[in-house]
Amino acid sequence: MDPNRGQYQTIVSIIDDQKLMSDPLVYLNGDFLPLTEAKIPVLDRGFIFGDSIYEVIPVYGKRLFRLDEHLDRLNNSLEATRIPNPYPESEWKKILSQLVMKNEAEDQSIYLQVTRGVAKRDHAFPEHVVPTVFLMSNPLVVTSEEMFNKGISAITLDDIRWRYCNIKATTLLPNVLLRQTALDEGAQEAILIRGGEVTEGSASNIFIVIDGHIQTPPKSARLLPGITRDLVVELANQNGLTCVEANFSGTELEAADEVWITSSTKEIMPVVMLNDEPVGDGTPGTITRQMYQIFQSYKTELKKEYD
Ligand code: PLP
């Protein structure tokens, strides 16, 4: 029996799933084409070395959310990895809005990836290489009140990642292993601890509430500067809920009254169980609820401005 058969069947079933979504149009190196027809050479350095960076941008009602902030972070990741930015900002905006319009869902999650390009396998940067640019859209399942009320459970794990976690690199093997360990233990997210201090989740930033005060770790190379994180800090401070950017330990995390994570696809998600113990009374806390409402009102106001 062909040893690659299992893998082949998985690919076929992914493609079949995508076909059910009418084979969505994706963007690859200048063209819009069906996902099943989008192909890259095996010598792409994104495939060979994970030599690439990415962004995930949420879209609400066909509007790209916090687009300038996402494009700034994209630029920072490209600069940090010395991958030339393939397009000026205006071109990125054009491609992104075309992709949004070519896909049906009102709410979407746009995945954007830039690799250093295709070259003979050698660690050193190749000369005269053209970056590979790939974008796709998936329907965004917006956190409903029901999902929010249920919250998630999380466990703490040692932060085994590299020392440039501020770069949104696709080299995500540690994050993948950490997330899987959490899932294997019946939790949905791994909260990471480095040198005794909490950094972030495997795919999210983290906030705690102690005695009514919100706290999140300050930005550094130990964590991704989340676009949702920044917005939550901004909205908290604008709405009289002061948020302090300061490090805290795993012990402080476990003693917190409330805990939530943030990301572009999860928005604000309460952590109601941590290391098999309830956080507070095991339901989303008062300040978490307030923050969620403030976030939802911000989205509604923004929508009104556009309409
Ligand atoms: N931290 C990590 C490691 C992530 O992978 C993500 C998002 O996927 C975040 C934080 C949250 O970032 P954002 O709010 O920009 O989605």
Side-chain angles (χ1 to χ4, degrees):
M1 178 158 149
D2 177 357
N4 293 323
R5 197 175 154 76
Q7 190 189 7
Y8 173 75
Q9 278 175 333
T10 311
I11 292 166
V12 167
S13 80
I14 291 171
I15 291 175
D16 281 351
D17 281 355
Q18 298 290 354
K19 274 201 179 127
L20 284 179
M21 290 154 40
S22 69
D23 204 4
L25 282 181
V26 300
Y27 175 93
L28 182 64
N29 297 331
D31 295 315
F32 287 96
L33 70 173
L35 177 65
T36 51
E37 286 169 28
K39 306 223 169 17
I40 56 157
V42 288
L43 284 182
D44 193 290
R45 289 175 64 101
F47 177 61
I48 295 280
F49 292 119
D51 186 1
S52 75
I53 59 92
Y54 75 111
E55 267 302 316
V56 175
I57 311 172
V59 170
Y60 299 110
K62 293 249 153 103
R63 306 271 180 194
L64 288 140
F65 190 66
R66 297 244 127 186
L67 177 57
D68 289 340
E69 287 80 355
H70 280 280
L71 289 179
D72 276 353
R73 188 172 64 184
L74 170 71
N75 206 30
N76 292 341
S77 299
L78 290 169
E79 273 181 11
T81 49
R82 295 160 61 193
I83 298 175
N85 194 333
Y87 305 131
E89 193 184 296
S90 55
E91 185 66 15
W92 277 120
K93 288 188 172 169
K94 196 170 124 203
I95 296 166
L96 282 159
S97 49
Q98 283 178 331
L99 182 69
V100 169
M101 289 310 166
K102 285 175 193 292
N103 281 276
E104 272 168 35
E106 283 291 302
D107 300 334
Q108 303 176 22
S109 162
I110 303 293
Y111 176 85
L112 177 170
Q113 181 173 353
V114 184
T115 85
R116 197 176 305 279
V118 182
K120 182 173 173 295
R121 188 183 181 280
D122 182 0
H123 287 59
F125 291 176
E127 278 178 30
H128 315 300
V129 73
V130 181
T132 300
V133 181
F134 171 64
L135 284 88
M136 66 178 164
S137 164
N138 284 301
L140 175 67
V141 182
V142 180
T143 303
S144 62
E145 261 191 78
E146 196 188 340
M147 286 152 77
F148 175 89
N149 286 333
K150 196 161 166 244
I152 59 160
S153 55
I155 57 168
T156 51
L157 290 175
D158 184 27
D159 194 341
I160 54 170
R161 302 172 303 160
W162 71 335
R163 289 194 282 174
Y164 298 107
C165 296
N166 53 321
I167 303 174
K168 202 161 168 66
T170 59
T171 330
L172 288 171
L173 187 55
N175 305 59
V176 167
L177 294 174
L178 290 160
R179 169 64 68 82
Q180 190 57 44
T181 303
L183 294 174
D184 292 346
E185 307 227 344
Q188 284 95 53
E189 181 58 306
I191 312 252
L192 311 178
I193 301 185
R194 186 175 295 217
E197 285 169 347
V198 175
T199 55
E200 60 179 338
S202 72
S204 57
N205 292 110
I206 182 143
F207 288 75
I208 58 170
V209 178
I210 297 183
D211 296 333
H213 300 290
I214 308 173
Q215 202 173 325
T216 192
K219 286 199 246 185
S220 73
R222 304 198 308 174
L223 54 102
L224 186 78
I227 306 299
T228 324
R229 171 206 179 276
D230 285 357
L231 178 59
V232 166
V233 172
E234 199 180 299
L235 291 176
N237 291 326
Q238 273 170 15
N239 287 272
L241 295 172
T242 45
C243 178
V244 179
E245 297 179 65
N247 283 311
F248 50 87
S249 66
T251 317
E252 286 171 292
L253 171 70
E254 284 185 338
D257 304 318
E258 302 179 33
V259 178
W260 74 75
I261 58 164
T262 61
S263 79
S264 290
T265 50
K266 297 264 179 315
E267 300 182 340
I268 294 174
M269 180 57 78
V271 176
V272 294
M273 291 290 289
L274 182 69
N275 294 335
D276 288 328
E277 296 290 334
V279 177
D281 66 2
T283 64
T286 320
I287 293 184
T288 315
R289 285 185 185 284
Q290 257 174 290
M291 207 57 248
Y292 174 78
Q293 288 310 336
I294 291 168
F295 193 88
Q296 298 310 323
S297 308
Y298 174 81
K299 276 168 51 188
T300 313
E301 284 306 309
L302 211 60
K303 190 167 180 300
K304 274 192 217 150
E305 265 176 46
Y306 286 131
D307 290 343

